[in-house]
Amino acid sequence: MESKLVVYNTLTRQKERFEPLHAPNVGMYVCGPTVYGDPHLGHARPAITFDLLFRYLKHLGYKVRYVRNITDVGHLEHDADEGEDKIAKKARLEQLEPMEIAQYYTNRYHQYMDALGVLRPSIEPHATGHIIEQQQLVRQILDNGFAYESNGSIYFDIEAYNKRAVSTGSLYKYGILSGRSLENIKDESRELAGVGEKKNQADFALWKKAQPEHIMRWPSPWSDGFPGWHCECTAMGRKYLGEQFDIHGGGMDLIFPHHECEIAQAVASMGHPAVKYWMHNNMLTINGQKMGKSYNNFITLEQFFTGNHPLLEKAYSPMTIRFFILSAHYRGTVDFSNEALVAAERGLEKLMNAIADLERIQVSPECDPETEKVVKGLRQKCYDAMNDDLATPQVISHLFEACTIINKVVNHEATICADCLKELKDTMHLFVFDILGLSVLNSQLSTNNDAREEAFGKVVDMVLELRAKAKADKDWATSDKIRNELAAAGFEVKDTKDGVTWKLNK
């Protein structure tokens, strides 16, 4: 099948037409969370970005195997292979088993991703469930001469890897993805030569010997220990997607060292790279600084949904957060502010109100020219935007243009025929719900929310029926009193030619 989708490939630093290795099958691997704390807004962005891609690829007719891992071992406090395992540290502080910590925060991650409308991946492998595959990867790299043992730990030999790349004319030297040069790192580490376990301070761990106090450990030919953080994605991507697959995604902060190390591990073990398209979403920031646990400036998704954080002026629904993230291009930086979230809330409300209004539009024998032009061009405009590297801001802009037309038709300032109304409904539902993944019922993380909203609406409708009866009886005082009381409570009531409408202003 011919694809019109174009994506930005971080590896080549340019947009490329998406052509799967084995169409119609697509293999996609995305780095998932390290489960030692509650998910925050920074976790939401890659999850939503690649959920969008997953949804769109499936809509285009591809059979997508989407693998997103759970990191539950081997991710140390520092990328330089130093410090304590993050999950083990949390377990020690809370006097729990590491797997209790991992399971608890995995469940929490799922809960909040579900609320954001993020579809579950096809496969969600855990690092601890693939120790054997990671040991096999380490053995291959050792056997190929790109790693060495030191005091029971195994390190990737970057200098040996780069020498082989130069001698064979390979483009895949260490630094190809990030564009970094190792010369400065080597210069800085020369005075440390012979100190510590590494030949070069830039070398990274493939297997770490566990110290006596280390909780999480497994037997290996080299020592009782645990895999380096970078091994899991290379090993699990290969296991579930094959030696070569289409897409590897993640946050831009993973380009170096994590994804750089993944490329080196794949080439060193197999003799060729594994991934065709590397895709990365940009960061979410607060006052220009990356949001993250290590910066102690993060806001958890639970805090967004409850409003319980000093930086938040109010609570925001899961769909407001999703709309906020989709309102910016995935490769652009998004800076948090209450003003931006309020704008997203209003934008989402505008879309949902317009979709609701579609159900009460009266059709005419024919469309006026402006309506027909907008409706007939809407679907293709949205496809063109999605095909241009998932340009969601443009998609939303086109949908807002349709909202303007819907409002005009509702207010009898424009006309729409039956065929155009059907096309408009189908296009709005396709892009708003199926592709962008937005939903109507989104305000609470409550299983009773649907019933509460239904009951809430019935009460308001009953009050408005009393007002209608008062108007019919020419009891203007009661009619005005009901309207004024509703307005004071935040309800906007409109009398239109088609009847009374209401909405709750947030």
Side-chain angles (χ1 to χ4, degrees):
M1 58 192 294
E2 183 180 354
S3 172
K4 294 183 179 179
L5 174 62
V6 171
V7 298
Y8 183 85
N9 190 346
T10 309
L11 183 66
T12 60
R13 296 167 179 76
Q14 63 184 10
K15 289 182 181 180
E16 298 177 4
R17 186 173 298 280
F18 178 67
E19 296 176 341
L21 294 166
H22 306 289
N25 299 301
V26 172
M28 180 169 76
Y29 189 101
V30 175
C31 290
T34 302
V35 283
Y36 69 102
D38 268 343
H40 55 70
L41 194 61
H43 293 117
R45 193 169 196 195
I48 290 171
T49 295
F50 292 100
D51 177 67
L52 173 75
L53 180 58
F54 183 34
R55 288 170 178 270
Y56 192 55
L57 288 171
K58 290 199 298 179
H59 170 70
L60 293 178
Y62 292 110
K63 297 177 181 179
V64 186
R65 178 176 289 176
Y66 176 17
V67 181
R68 187 186 67 207
N69 68 300
I70 295 290
T71 298
D72 55 0
V73 68
H75 196 158
L76 303 182
E77 293 173 283
H78 308 291
D79 289 335
D81 304 315
E82 297 173 356
E84 195 172 357
D85 184 290
K86 292 181 178 181
I87 293 170
K89 180 180 180 180
K90 186 85 169 183
R92 179 175 53 79
L93 292 174
E94 298 191 13
Q95 296 184 321
L96 296 170
E97 281 290 326
M99 285 301 101
E100 284 184 270
I101 295 293
Q103 187 64 59
Y104 176 78
Y105 287 112
T106 298
N107 293 344
R108 298 276 285 180
Y109 179 79
H110 287 153
Q111 177 187 359
Y112 290 108
M113 293 306 112
D114 289 347
L116 290 169
V118 174
L119 302 176
R120 297 287 178 97
S122 314
I123 304 173
E124 192 173 54
H126 291 233
T128 52
H130 298 79
I131 299 298
I132 291 174
E133 288 84 355
Q134 293 177 77
Q135 289 182 354
Q136 289 171 340
L137 173 69
V138 175
R139 170 54 65 193
Q140 286 178 315
I141 296 172
L142 267 171
D143 290 346
N144 291 341
F146 298 113
Y148 57 90
E149 183 176 354
S150 179
N151 297 327
S153 293
I154 307 297
Y155 292 98
F156 191 95
D157 191 334
I158 292 176
E159 190 168 358
Y161 176 77
N162 275 6
K163 282 182 179 177
R164 180 72 62 87
V166 171
S167 65
T168 59
S170 170
L171 295 174
Y172 286 88
K173 63 179 183 178
Y174 192 80
I176 186 172
L177 185 67
S178 62
R180 293 193 178 207
S181 169
L182 290 174
E183 295 310 312
N184 291 337
I185 300 175
K186 289 179 179 178
D187 288 342
E188 291 169 3
S189 63
R190 272 184 188 136
E191 60 187 53
L192 299 174
V195 178
E197 294 182 343
K198 300 181 183 181
K199 291 181 181 179
N200 187 303
Q201 290 304 106
D203 294 345
F204 58 91
L206 298 172
W207 184 265
K208 286 284 286 183
K209 179 181 179 180
Q211 298 303 310
E213 68 275 7
H214 200 92
I215 306 172
M216 303 175 80
R217 59 174 68 214
W218 290 264
S220 81
W222 317 289
S223 63
D224 280 3
F226 54 94
W229 167 37
H230 312 300
C231 288
E232 62 178 284
C233 293
T234 304
M236 294 190 294
R238 183 166 67 183
K239 180 179 177 67
Y240 295 111
L241 298 175
E243 288 197 355
Q244 290 183 296
F245 55 92
D246 299 297
I247 299 168
H248 195 316
M252 192 174 286
D253 57 328
L254 296 178
I255 293 175
F256 188 89
H258 186 48
H259 291 165
E260 195 76 77
C261 294
E262 280 197 63
I263 289 176
Q265 289 172 160
V267 175
S269 61
M270 300 184 294
H272 59 79
V275 178
K276 186 174 182 181
Y277 303 97
W278 285 91
M279 296 179 66
H280 296 90
N281 63 274
N282 211 322
M283 296 296 98
L284 279 157
T285 58
I286 295 182
N287 298 322
Q289 185 182 44
K290 176 197 167 187
M291 180 184 290
K293 291 189 179 75
S294 57
Y295 296 96
N296 200 30
N297 67 349
F298 62 94
I299 305 174
T300 68
L301 292 173
E302 180 180 43
Q303 289 169 328
F304 274 105
F305 300 161
T306 62
N308 185 25
H309 191 281
L311 292 176
L312 296 173
E313 295 176 356
K314 54 180 285 190
Y316 297 97
S317 73
M319 284 300 111
T320 296
I321 299 300
R322 186 177 179 103
F323 188 83
F324 168 65
I325 290 172
L326 292 173
S327 295
H329 192 274
Y330 78 91
R331 287 194 290 114
T333 304
V334 176
D335 197 50
F336 157 81
S337 71
N338 280 281
E339 292 77 13
L341 286 169
V342 168
E345 188 175 62
R346 289 172 179 164
L348 176 64
E349 185 179 29
K350 179 178 179 179
L351 269 183
M352 295 306 171
N353 285 343
I355 290 174
D357 285 343
L358 283 170
E359 300 305 318
R360 61 190 186 89
I361 280 179
Q362 293 182 343
V363 297
S364 300
E366 58 183 29
C367 293
D368 65 81
E370 182 189 9
T371 300
E372 186 173 20
K373 180 181 177 182
V374 171
V375 172
K376 289 189 174 180
L378 179 62
R379 187 184 294 258
Q380 191 58 52
K381 283 182 177 180
C382 290
Y383 274 129
D384 289 345
M386 284 298 298
N387 286 334
D388 185 13
D389 195 30
L390 311 179
T392 52
Q394 282 68 44
V395 174
I396 292 170
S397 175
H398 298 320
L399 294 173
F400 279 166
E401 186 180 2
C403 291
T404 301
I405 289 295
I406 293 168
N407 289 336
K408 285 184 176 181
V409 175
V410 168
N411 294 326
H412 303 284
E413 297 168 2
T415 59
I416 189 168
C417 65
D419 288 345
C420 280
L421 180 58
K422 182 181 185 306
E423 170 63 14
L424 185 54
K425 282 183 180 180
D426 290 348
T427 303
M428 293 290 284
H429 280 252
L430 170 63
F431 283 95
V432 172
F433 299 137
D434 298 345
I435 294 175
L436 295 184
L438 299 167
S439 64
V440 179
L441 298 173
N442 62 83
S443 57
Q444 299 289 337
L445 279 176
S446 168
T447 55
N448 298 321
N449 192 52
D450 294 7
R452 288 176 181 174
E453 287 199 6
E454 184 179 354
F456 183 76
K458 286 181 178 178
V459 171
V460 177
D461 288 339
M462 181 178 68
V463 172
L464 289 175
E465 285 178 12
L466 293 174
R467 177 174 175 265
K469 185 177 185 305
K471 287 180 71 177
D473 295 340
K474 297 185 179 181
D475 183 357
W476 309 118
T478 300
S479 171
D480 291 344
K481 186 175 189 303
I482 291 174
R483 181 182 183 127
N484 292 339
E485 290 291 337
L486 285 171
F491 291 91
E492 182 180 333
V493 178
K494 284 185 179 180
D495 294 302
T496 72
K497 293 179 181 179
D498 301 318
V500 180
T501 66
W502 64 270
K503 68 177 181 177
L504 179 59
N505 292 320
K506 298 177 181 178

